[in-house]
Amino acid sequence: MSRTVHTFCRYCLAACGVEVTVEGNRVVKISADKQNPHSWQDFCAKGRTAHQVVEHPRRIVAPMKRVGDRYVETSWDEAIDDIAARLNAAIDADGPDAVGAYYGNPAGYSSSNLMFMNGWLDAVGTFNRYAVGSVDQNAMHVVAEKMYGSALLAPVSDVDNCDFFLLIGANPAVSAWNWLESVPGGWRRALARQQQGATLVVVDPLRTESAGKADVHVAVRPGQDWALLLAMVKVILDGGLEHRGDCSDLAVGVDRLRTLVAEADLDDLAMRCDVARTQIVDVATAFATSPRAMAVTRTGVSLHLAGTVAEWLGHVLNVITGRMDRPGGRRFEPGYVDALRLAELAGTKPHTSRLRGRPLVAGAHALSELPDEITTPGRGQIRALIVNSGNPVISGPDGAKLDHALSQLDLLVAIDFVQRESHRHAHWLLPAVHWLERDDLLAFTSSLHDEPYLHYGVRAVDPPAQARQEWRIFVDLALAMNRPLFGVPGLNRFVRASRRLARLTRRPGLEFGPRWVDRLIVATGRKVNGRRIRWRDVLGHPHGWVLGPREFGHFREALRTPDKLVHVAPPEFLARARELLAEPVPQPPSGYPFQLANRRNRHSMNSWLNDLPGLHPSGKGSEVVIHPDDAARLGIRDGDRVRVSSPVGAVELGASVSDQPRPGVVVIDHGWGSRVFDPRGGADPQGYGVNRNLLVDGDPVDPLSQTAALNSSYVAVTRA
Ligand SMILES: Nc1nc2c(c(=O)[nH]1)N[C@H]1C(S)=C(S)[C@@H](COP(=O)(O)OP(=O)(O)OC[C@H]3O[C@@H](n4cnc5c(=O)[nH]c(N)nc54)[C@H](O)[C@@H]3O)O[C@H]1N2
Ligand SMILES: Nc1nc2c(c(=O)[nH]1)N[C@H]1C(S)=C(S)[C@@H](COP(=O)(O)OP(=O)(O)OC[C@H]3O[C@@H](n4cnc5c(=O)[nH]c(N)nc54)[C@H](O)[C@@H]3O)O[C@H]1N2
Ligand code: SF4
Ligand SMILES: [Mo]
């Protein structure tokens, strides 16, 4: 007998509604849930094959402890006791900062994971917190904090009313319309607008699938969007094309922007980004004079040394041309819960890093600092690390340096489905629970959907008996370490009491856990249609629940700046922009004439899913894409083996000659080169492709977002 479960995919923010057919405790089919009113339109092969991760032949299904060069399965009691004892020993010897954690992208698709991990970090009292943000969205957090007063205030796109899309460093045809916002089917909806006459401009050094569909493709030089966008702001302000009302009523600092653009020269900026001055003027003028327009920035803009200034200027374009809170522009979605307030409650005290002296961004330090913080002796040196839902050796800069550092730890614990590259030195492997196996209310994303939307993601199947959700692991660790969860004295006693009560009454729901928090969040959330949402209503909408129409007019009240105005010219950004203007026009360093850009693979999720035969049947790996002119000069033909090197690393792979990248730019997809080990069977590791981030130096970073030049490093290419 089969049954059907409706839930949503938690691989990316598109959050596609899915219909899961289950027999016994096995998923036999996953398809799009066409009854989902909001979010099934991006449904893709990754969601369709999600059960292949659940049934991964190399899945870790019980805690595994390293013994010599092998792993053995143990009980949870043994795992928690041993890990807690070793963490406590590290803290006793050297203080709380001896313990650290890195969490990756998937942690964000489980509120309970993030929340209870932070509860455990607060219990420990460590500031050695590292997150995926510094290789993803830190620039946006920094910009939102300074301009809007909250690192999490992310405007959403009103695609269906837009007449002019300026997409900068985004490839929604492949990646779906998501990066701190969720616009399901956003790309298809934008193409539909284009059919109705809207203009689509894509700014990308590569003629991507999205750029191929655009009316205008601006092939910018990698990492130089700041110059392009500053030039556009200049064209708009110098030409009097700004929205006068918003510049005086909504924003503060436009005069300082005017001073900045007066110092910049259009020809100089055009040279820096290598886009013709006429094209810049045309696009800026068309954008500013279009009745309804939006500028959208993504990872292509942020993952560079000037990423924050570029991200900032993308927001500036929207503000000064009156796109905020207007149809076809960018809105604030209040959602069913005040997610900005939730984030404030979960906030961390300020801290600067031990070695580099840099502040936390959105509660975490930068991944590029992690290796030295592990290997440099002194108080605060990390001796024990938990890697939660992440693969930083692949996703971050200079993976070889981090790999070496991880091998030096006294204790490395990985929580994941399988043992990947970043977990190869782990002393403990802890089995995680897949979204098909767990319930999630992603309250933190409530303001990121492009309409008021609530969906409680229910589990489709039960997890393996010994797999555990992260929240449970972190609670168990805090209890075993005898350190107060969330740093709240007495909370541990309360948790223990709730567990005893749950056991005695045989009602597991009485145990303190995320369900309590979820219910509290809903019960204290915003009113919808004049009344509070009841938990039973949440459960009563298995296909997801659109709570009402999209509303405008919430942006200003959402602002967290003291004066309730948008700060368009924060002093830090102005200073950094002036610093960039004072630098010489970028030239490749001697010996490294190419810039290495990045692509995402439709069938991979960052560094994972590329090991699934259902998604990558030929097991094919990486290639380096080279423009025909460059290839001809180097004597490289399609399919040749080539060596790509930088001052910090080198990789060898096949060449693909194509005119997609602009000349001087080569492309290797990120996410490859991560092996999957076999801790249970002991078979050889499986691995496909090469890790292109081995070529990225982690040392120079954007001083504002602390992000390295992930998508604009200089490299050399030679025949192997
Ligand atoms: N050069 C370059 N580098 C980049 C990027 C780029 O564009 N260019 N993109 C960056 C971006 S945007 C991102 S988000 C990062 C990603 O960086 P990371 O988040 O560090 O890496 P992922 O590849 O997403 O690895 C996620 C890991 O979590 C595991 N996992 C999946 N679901 C769960 C779960 O529910 N629980 C647990 N415990 N584990 C789980 C997976 O098996 C996998 O091992 O990479 C960044 N790196
Ligand atoms: N299939 C699939 N979908 C995904 C993911 C995945 O791994 N696979 N990852 C998810 C995650 S975690 C994220 S954060 C989002 C990211 O979503 P997007 O940011 O839209 O991700 P990309 O597809 O990498 O698009 C970035 C584009 O920027 C371009 N680019 C590189 N350097 C520059 C530059 O200097 N300037 C400009 N203007 N463009 C540049 C690249 O060529 C690329 O086309 O996607 C999500 N969706
Ligand atoms: S991975 Fe695919 S199916 Fe899953 S949410 Fe993203 S776009 Fe939708
Ligand atoms: Mo990401």
Side-chain angles (χ1 to χ4, degrees):
M1 261 286 283
S2 68
R3 62 196 168 90
T4 307
V5 180
H6 295 100
T7 186
F8 67 96
C9 174
R10 280 151 260 172
Y11 282 163
C12 78
L13 256 183
C16 299
V18 294
E19 180 170 291
V20 186
T21 313
V22 179
E23 278 172 14
N25 193 46
R26 258 201 94 204
V27 173
V28 292
K29 189 176 171 207
I30 305 177
S31 44
D33 177 8
K34 300 219 167 135
Q35 295 178 78
N36 182 303
H38 171 65
S39 67
W40 59 272
Q41 302 95 319
D42 276 314
F43 180 72
C44 77
K46 300 190 289 302
R48 186 166 47 70
T49 53
H51 51 306
Q52 291 188 9
V53 175
V54 168
E55 294 168 7
H56 201 294
R58 297 192 169 190
R59 183 162 180 193
I60 304 160
V61 289
M64 302 194 84
K65 173 185 176 177
R66 195 164 89 202
V67 180
D69 55 4
R70 295 183 315 121
Y71 285 90
V72 292
E73 288 188 354
T74 73
S75 68
W76 271 104
D77 284 347
E78 184 179 342
I80 295 291
D81 287 349
D82 183 67
I83 295 168
R86 291 162 80 173
L87 292 172
N88 272 343
I91 297 169
D92 291 343
D94 218 11
D97 288 336
V99 171
Y102 169 79
Y103 57 96
N105 175 267
Y109 298 101
S110 156
S111 300
S112 60
N113 183 344
L114 280 187
M115 194 181 303
F116 284 83
M117 178 193 59
N118 277 305
W120 171 77
L121 287 166
D122 288 346
V124 171
T126 177
F127 284 102
N128 271 318
R129 305 164 183 215
Y130 298 82
V132 65
S134 63
V135 295
D136 188 356
Q137 69 218 22
N138 266 11
M140 166 64 195
H141 289 313
V142 172
V143 167
E145 176 80 49
K146 297 285 176 211
M147 286 182 79
Y148 311 131
S150 162
L152 276 195
L153 202 161
V156 296
S157 305
D158 183 31
V159 170
D160 304 324
N161 292 308
C162 183
D163 300 319
F164 194 103
F165 296 91
L166 178 57
L167 305 185
I168 313 148
N171 187 13
V174 165
S175 303
W177 198 290
N178 67 64
W179 188 63
L180 280 160
E181 69 165 330
S182 177
V183 182
W187 178 239
R188 254 179 292 161
R189 286 157 59 189
L191 290 178
R193 285 300 294 166
Q194 190 189 32
Q195 287 290 308
Q196 294 158 12
T199 304
L200 197 59
V201 178
V202 171
V203 180
D204 200 305
L206 203 67
R207 201 181 63 251
T208 57
E209 251 174 282
S210 306
K213 290 263 163 57
D215 301 286
V216 179
H217 172 208
V218 181
V220 66
R221 174 184 287 162
Q224 298 301 310
D225 298 84
W226 74 272
L228 173 69
L229 298 175
L230 185 60
M232 291 191 183
V233 172
K234 182 174 170 65
V235 169
I236 291 164
L237 290 180
D238 286 355
L241 301 174
E242 70 275 22
H243 187 285
R244 295 264 159 77
D246 277 5
C247 283
S248 58
D249 305 339
L250 178 68
V252 59
V254 178
D255 47 335
R256 272 169 281 147
L257 273 183
R258 282 188 209 282
T259 313
L260 176 71
V261 298
E263 294 162 24
D265 173 65
L266 218 47
D267 290 315
D268 173 71
L269 293 173
M271 205 154 41
R272 288 174 188 274
C273 61
D274 200 18
V275 176
R277 179 183 165 138
T278 47
Q279 189 174 39
I280 298 175
V281 173
D282 288 351
V283 171
T285 308
F287 173 78
T289 53
S290 173
R292 297 171 166 206
M294 65 170 78
V296 173
T297 44
R298 294 276 193 263
T299 61
V301 167
S302 62
L303 302 181
H304 310 282
L305 302 182
T308 310
V309 169
E311 176 69 20
W312 162 52
L313 294 168
H315 289 250
V316 164
L317 279 180
N318 285 324
V319 176
I320 63 170
T321 59
R323 312 309 182 179
M324 303 308 290
D325 217 9
R326 291 217 171 76
R330 313 285 304 266
R331 257 183 353 106
F332 176 74
E333 170 50 56
Y336 58 91
V337 35
D338 189 343
L340 303 186
R341 194 167 142 61
L342 271 189
E344 278 157 18
L345 291 175
T348 318
K349 285 192 226 111
H351 182 255
T352 50
S353 55
R354 176 176 69 118
L355 299 172
R356 303 287 197 284
R358 296 192 193 121
L360 295 160
V361 175
H365 284 301
L367 188 46
S368 59
E369 293 190 31
L370 181 55
D372 288 343
E373 291 286 353
I374 293 173
T375 54
T376 310
R379 192 159 174 88
Q381 179 186 11
I382 301 172
R383 300 309 310 147
L385 184 80
I386 295 189
V387 174
N388 169 14
S389 321
N391 198 0
V393 169
I394 303 297
S395 53
D398 203 346
K401 185 174 176 186
L402 179 58
D403 177 74
H404 169 74
L406 295 177
S407 75
Q408 306 294 303
L409 286 164
D410 296 334
L411 176 66
L412 177 61
V413 178
I415 312 175
D416 210 300
F417 307 130
V418 295
Q419 185 185 19
R420 295 188 205 276
E421 202 62 36
S422 305
H423 320 135
R424 76 181 181 110
H425 304 295
H427 301 93
W428 278 99
L429 303 167
L430 302 182
V433 169
H434 190 272
W435 58 262
L436 279 164
E437 303 163 334
R438 63 171 198 248
D439 304 330
D440 282 310
L441 180 79
L442 298 186
F444 284 112
T445 68
S446 167
S447 285
L448 302 181
H449 288 273
D450 78 327
E451 60 187 342
Y453 181 65
L454 192 163
H455 198 176
Y456 186 57
V458 296
R459 69 174 72 185
V461 288
D462 290 329
Q466 296 296 312
R468 276 206 185 156
Q469 292 191 43
E470 295 82 2
W471 72 266
R472 182 65 206 252
I473 298 174
F474 288 117
V475 173
D476 285 352
L477 280 177
L479 295 182
M481 291 170 76
N482 204 14
R483 291 177 193 272
L485 200 57
F486 294 98
V488 175
L491 189 58
N492 289 13
R493 224 175 317 126
F494 173 73
V495 173
R496 281 206 184 87
S498 79
R499 284 188 174 183
R500 260 196 312 276
L501 188 67
R503 226 177 13 248
L504 290 174
T505 57
R506 297 211 181 113
R507 290 170 63 192
L510 292 181
E511 179 187 335
F512 175 74
R515 182 67 86 91
W516 284 42
V517 181
D518 290 347
R519 285 180 163 232
L520 192 70
I521 284 175
V522 167
T524 58
R526 284 186 352 112
K527 286 187 181 159
V528 173
N529 300 328
R531 73 173 173 86
R532 295 223 184 270
I533 299 174
R534 289 167 308 180
W535 190 250
R536 113 169 83 99
D537 301 330
V538 172
L539 299 184
H541 289 82
H543 303 287
W545 186 10
V546 174
L547 300 161
R550 294 182 178 96
E551 287 175 3
F552 294 85
H554 295 288
F555 178 61
R556 198 184 274 255
E557 77 200 36
L559 289 171
R560 292 294 210 262
T561 47
D563 51 9
K564 289 275 179 192
L565 293 171
V566 175
H567 292 206
V568 286
E572 302 85 339
F573 300 172
L574 292 172
R576 176 78 180 127
R578 291 198 164 98
E579 211 174 274
L580 291 166
L581 282 168
E583 283 175 9
V585 174
Q587 297 293 334
S590 137
Y592 299 100
F594 294 97
Q595 268 188 300
L596 179 62
N598 182 70
R599 261 188 337 199
R600 252 158 244 276
N601 187 298
R602 184 185 298 283
H603 288 166
S604 299
M605 197 58 215
N606 295 311
S607 79
W608 52 303
L609 305 188
N610 40 26
D611 45 305
L612 294 190
L615 286 175
H616 301 273
S618 58
K620 99 184 179 51
S622 318
E623 58 183 21
V624 54
V625 188
I626 309 179
H627 190 274
D629 296 350
D630 294 327
R633 228 165 343 101
L634 295 165
I636 290 169
R637 278 164 316 181
D638 202 56
D640 281 354
R641 292 283 301 167
V642 298
R643 185 182 143 88
V644 183
S645 59
S646 79
V648 296
V651 296
E652 256 188 51
L653 70 178
S656 162
V657 178
S658 147
D659 66 357
Q660 278 194 341
R662 43 173 281 155
V665 170
V666 295
V667 188
I668 308 176
D669 291 14
H670 101 100
W672 295 85
S674 179
R675 289 170 290 178
V676 177
F677 297 87
D678 185 16
R680 280 197 297 152
D684 286 342
Q686 292 167 331
Y688 310 104
V690 301
N691 176 6
R692 47 95 71 213
N693 283 350
L694 293 173
L695 303 170
V696 179
D697 189 348
D699 242 1
V701 294
D702 177 341
L704 297 165
S705 66
Q706 306 179 22
T707 297
L710 283 162
N711 292 349
S712 47
S713 292
Y714 287 98
V715 295
V717 182
T718 48
R719 277 176 65 130

